[in-house]
Amino acid sequence: MGDDVKTRGQSKVETSDRIVRAAEVEFAERGFEGAGMKAISQRADVSQALLHYHFGNKDHLYSEVVRRRSKLINTERQALLEQVDLTASDAVERILDALFRPPLGPAGGDQSYTRIFGGLIVGRERDRALVKEFYDPTAQEFIRALQGALPDISQKTAAHAYTLALGTLVVMISRDGRVERLMGQREMRDTEEILQGLITFAKAGIMALATQED
């Protein structure tokens, strides 16, 4: 009865959104195995029955968390990538900006999703399947863009470059305190400074790979 009263004035979409936001935090803090449907229902302030009504089981809820967040990230990535002139001298930098900026900004969520994002890249079979479904199509667009900006590199090299650049991003957004500790400072630098460091480093690596083409 209590949940009926609380959600009476809310649409199914609003309730669903609240559950997904709560689940994102729970999965980030405890991982998939440690997260519990009861804990998620408590965070979302809904009954477990309502939670199961909306999402069925934990696998489906986890998939929905990744699907919704990846859509926000990839929509912004694609919009930025479409603005890149692949014939311009700064094309590689702008491609990398389009890759890195969304996960570091509002589309990437807060610290919660950064932990999930990092886990997806090195995750188990469940995570690999979600990456394939929700991230690979956009990844292919970036690989083609790199080939357009650097016409002499192969798809293999462009894919290698993309993967290494993404790995660098994951380290920077992990927010586990190690980067700050190694840098000898207490707080992460501002987003623009982080972006410029990522872009400079990744571009240098991409150009070095390009020179190794057979």
Side-chain angles (χ1 to χ4, degrees):
M1 181 66 177
D3 285 310
D4 291 339
V5 172
K6 291 174 185 175
T7 60
R8 186 174 296 161
Q10 296 183 334
S11 69
K12 289 183 178 180
V13 172
E14 289 172 326
T15 302
S16 175
D17 287 345
R18 192 165 83 249
I19 292 170
V20 171
R21 288 195 299 272
E24 186 173 272
V25 175
E26 181 71 12
F27 286 128
E29 291 184 356
R30 302 183 183 279
F32 179 84
E33 300 300 335
M37 294 294 268
K38 181 178 180 180
I40 293 170
S41 69
Q42 291 173 340
R43 283 183 186 271
D45 199 19
V46 301
S47 69
Q48 282 188 259
L50 190 59
L51 184 63
H52 286 286
Y53 168 77
H54 278 279
F55 295 103
N57 58 42
K58 189 164 70 168
D59 278 281
H60 290 157
L61 181 52
Y62 183 70
S63 177
E64 185 63 11
V65 168
V66 176
R67 185 192 72 80
R68 293 193 188 195
R69 185 59 68 184
S70 66
K71 183 178 180 180
L72 291 173
I73 291 171
N74 288 330
T75 296
E76 186 174 338
R77 277 176 164 169
Q78 289 167 328
L80 291 171
L81 191 60
E82 287 173 2
Q83 298 174 26
V84 178
D85 177 358
L86 298 180
T87 66
S89 60
D90 65 346
V92 174
E93 290 97 321
R94 294 195 62 193
I95 291 169
L96 291 170
D97 184 88
L99 177 66
F100 295 145
R101 185 176 293 276
L104 290 169
D110 57 18
Q111 189 169 347
S112 296
Y113 191 74
T114 62
R115 294 171 181 159
I116 297 173
F117 184 82
L120 286 171
I121 306 304
V122 294
R124 299 179 181 179
E125 183 59 37
R126 177 190 302 104
D127 295 310
R128 290 195 293 269
L130 293 174
V131 168
K132 181 178 180 180
E133 180 177 0
F134 299 129
Y135 284 100
D136 277 12
T138 304
Q140 294 293 344
E141 293 183 32
F142 276 90
I143 291 167
R144 287 192 292 269
L146 285 172
Q147 287 185 275
L150 300 168
D152 293 333
I153 70 169
S154 65
Q155 181 181 354
K156 177 182 177 181
T157 298
H160 192 194
Y162 170 86
T163 303
L164 292 174
L166 192 63
T168 305
L169 172 65
V170 169
V171 171
M172 291 304 296
I173 67 172
S174 63
R175 307 294 171 88
D176 62 0
R178 187 165 190 258
V179 173
E180 292 90 337
R181 189 167 66 251
L182 294 174
M183 291 168 57
Q185 60 185 61
R186 300 178 66 178
E187 295 183 359
M188 184 73 77
R189 298 169 295 173
D190 65 76
T191 300
E192 290 302 319
E193 190 175 358
I194 293 170
L195 271 169
Q196 289 309 308
L198 282 168
I199 291 169
T200 299
F201 183 82
K203 181 188 176 183
I206 290 170
M207 301 310 292
L209 286 173
T211 64
Q212 296 177 8
E213 286 278 84
D214 294 331

